[in-house]
Amino acid sequence: MDKILIRDLKIFAYHGVNPEEKRDGQNFVFDIDLSVNMTKACHSDDVNDTVSYAKVVKTVIRTVTEKKYDLLEKVAQVTADAVLAEYPEVFSVDITLKKPEAPVKADFGWVGVKISRER
């Protein structure tokens, strides 16, 4: 299966179990893999024959910023649901959601979750 890849998509949003996370917000970073059949687009060279990564980015930004959630698991799930609902050409989506500024008293690069969903 062909893949469209979106890497290091940084979105400022208001998710977390602590009140200050929902009040002050923080950065969330997404890596998204979309499984699609790109055969037609490879031959036509027409954006209408593929899934526009620019449109997917807009969907993800809208989804992640329209509500506040406690858990990264929930943010990843609603994001996967939105992508699958809005882009019927996507067979499956893998989302890695990173929280580099999580309120953890340790020296770390990021914490996060990874989910895979398919139709």
Side-chain angles (χ1 to χ4, degrees):
M1 183 59 50
D2 304 320
K3 300 272 187 182
I4 293 174
L5 308 174
I6 300 168
R7 292 291 180 262
D8 298 323
L9 174 61
K10 188 185 297 185
I11 302 172
F12 192 85
Y14 298 87
H15 308 296
V17 295
N18 299 313
E20 62 274 10
E21 292 178 285
K22 287 196 177 73
R23 182 190 66 230
D24 301 336
Q26 62 192 293
N27 289 306
F28 296 84
V29 181
F30 288 79
D31 289 339
I32 302 169
D33 295 14
L34 308 172
S35 294
V36 300
N37 183 340
M38 292 190 278
T39 303
K40 188 173 181 184
C42 289
H43 293 288
S44 71
D45 195 29
D46 185 340
V47 71
N48 295 308
D49 292 333
T50 190
V51 175
S52 166
Y53 52 80
K55 289 181 181 178
V56 172
V57 166
K58 287 180 183 179
T59 297
V60 173
I61 292 170
R62 185 193 74 243
T63 302
V64 172
T65 59
E66 69 186 355
K67 291 185 179 178
K68 298 177 182 181
Y69 299 105
D70 287 345
L71 301 179
L72 290 178
E73 292 86 343
K74 180 67 173 183
V75 177
Q77 182 65 53
V78 297
T79 303
D81 290 344
V83 170
L84 291 172
E86 293 184 32
Y87 304 95
E89 307 90 340
V90 174
F91 295 104
S92 66
V93 59
D94 297 326
I95 296 177
T96 301
L97 173 51
K98 306 170 193 175
K99 191 172 180 181
E101 301 159 9
V104 176
K105 294 185 189 236
D107 186 15
F108 66 97
W110 54 272
V111 297
V113 298
K114 180 172 186 163
I115 67 167
S116 298
R117 299 294 183 263
E118 58 186 49
R119 358 193 121 263

